[in-house]
Amino acid sequence: MPLALIDCNNFYVSCERMFNPRLEGVPVVVLSNNDGCAVARSNEVKALGIKMGEPWFKMEKIARQHGIVALSSNYSLYGDLSARVMSILSTFSPRQEIYSIDECFLDLAGFDPKTLLAYGQTIRQAVKRNVGIPVCVGIADTKTLAKLANHCAKKGLAGRDGVCDFGQLDEQRRRTLFASLPVGEIWGVGGRITEKLLAMNITTVEELCNANLEMIRSRFSIVLARTVQELNGTPCIELEDANTPRQQIMVSRSFGSTVTALADLSESVASFTTRAAEKLRQDGSVAASLCVYVHTNPFKEDDPQYQRSLVVPLGLPTDDTSKLVHAALTGLKVIYRSGYRYKKTGVLLMGLQAKDTIQATLFDDPAEQARSDNRMRVMDAINRRMGQGSVTIAASGVRQRWAMRRERKSPNYTTEWSELPVAG
Amino acid sequence: MPLSLCSKTSMTPLLQQAILLPAIGKPPILAPLFSHKVAAGFPSPADDYIEGRLSLDEHLISNKDATFFVRAKGNSMVGAGIFDGDLLVVDKSLTPSSGDIVIAIVDGDLTVKRLINRDGKVILKPENPRCQEIEFKEGQELQVWGVVTSAVKKFV
């Protein structure tokens, strides 16, 4: 069963370059929320040896030397372009799994295997032409292999023009290729597992392919054993269709500066809950309970440390922003302790189920339910049209002193009328 | 108000175990059975003919995923009816051909001009006699960002 993994090249950087062509050919790095560390790097930055996740303060000097342009992450822009890319990709297969903001799997079962390489090129060109984002395509019989094929396509190790189909490699060439790939390149083989494998003289993909399955299962885990099976062409990880609704919805963020007052924490919790409730309604789900949590900055070792979370049951499952916010704030009041410098709060909606399948109870009030539904529909419609946060509940606050630091953010080119790109 | 009489937290421990009944003589508590409206009167004669409102999105955008909005700046295209501040609808999926109004990348900036192929030479032509044509010589690559399909003006 062949499938494809399509991955956008340096996605965030590509998004920025699309609307600011001056960044073409220039080393560009995109920083995480609060301008903390590198979350995307252009090829020029990779060539300078700057690693993913490297903190900005550590690279500031080398950045100045080489004229690296550092940008704050602009998730409104990346989210919109991602939705466009995924929508185009969805036209190439009846089954799509959106794996992350910049990658997705497509089921290619039933296609003539000889045509897949050309099909990969068609996919690649379609995304480039329609949205302007460059992608690479990896094709193979399992998810793990498709990921690896994508890596090879991106690095130009196999295939050509950004498309690599392992189905086109004969056994001899496949073996040579796998013997040249370090084991750490495999999907799901992280730093710690890599170290342990190296100690056992398993250094390449080919060596892990040939490792004894029983030994892997007993010395590591069933998960790694599954990876080995996948490397050998036996699919063990199912394709998850895009329309599987989420099981949990999490919204959390670190603060731009530390926050101490309950009032400020409350505003951020209310604001995150509002966002989570929007996502909930997009999925057509309701939540049965909600978890709210706070913690201080564990990297500030001199600061007194505190972290706590609390699950608040909601009674009747709901998707109503005001009810969810009320529950979240009730929970926050219970876990809040004064005298700490908080760095992060978050809200997790749990026990999600489809709204149209919840059971009615004796205490339902259909009239109130209808009013609530109407309220939420109007709120979502306004926010969709006028921009996120146009209508919100008063508890989210208007000052938002806790807001993230994003000093180098590009305009919201595709989601704000006042920030459109300009052509002279 | 529905049958839930009061929330548990606000009740004293004693009351939590008690069964609450409406006091005699007080008006009964009304529990909603059906809150749906029952239709009465005549159905609208237009019911079968309602076809939905016209949508400008539908009119102006044929490929949603490939369509972006760009704000026009300056007066270089007034001859084509594009004025400063107009909203340009740009379709990236279209293959540009001679005569199209395009968004092109020139010296790192986006510019809106008419694309002309004159005797094998590619030219970006402004629609204003006071502006200069931009010519592309052999070896120079013209990068077209997208094709302008319409311009929208707001008067109020």
Side-chain angles (χ1 to χ4, degrees), chain A residues 92 115-127 129 163:
Chain A
F92 286 94
T115 63
L116 289 180
L117 206 56
Y119 198 57
Q121 286 300 345
T122 310
I123 293 174
R124 190 173 133 85
Q125 283 154 12
V127 178
R129 203 187 58 231
V163 181

Side-chain angles (χ1 to χ4, degrees), chain A residues 18 22 84 87 130 421 423-424, chain B residues 65 67 71 73 109 111 145:
Chain A
M18 190 174 138
R22 281 171 195 273
R84 291 165 185 260
S87 161
N130 283 278
Chain B
D65 293 322
T67 298
R71 188 74 66 188
K73 195 180 159 212
D109 286 323
T111 183
W145 195 89

Side-chain angles (χ1 to χ4, degrees), chain A residues 422-424, chain B residues 76 102-106 109-113 124 134:
Chain A
V422 170
Chain B
S76 71
V102 299
I103 302 288
I105 301 170
V106 176
D109 286 323
L110 299 181
T111 183
V112 52
K113 296 288 176 290
L124 287 178
I134 305 167

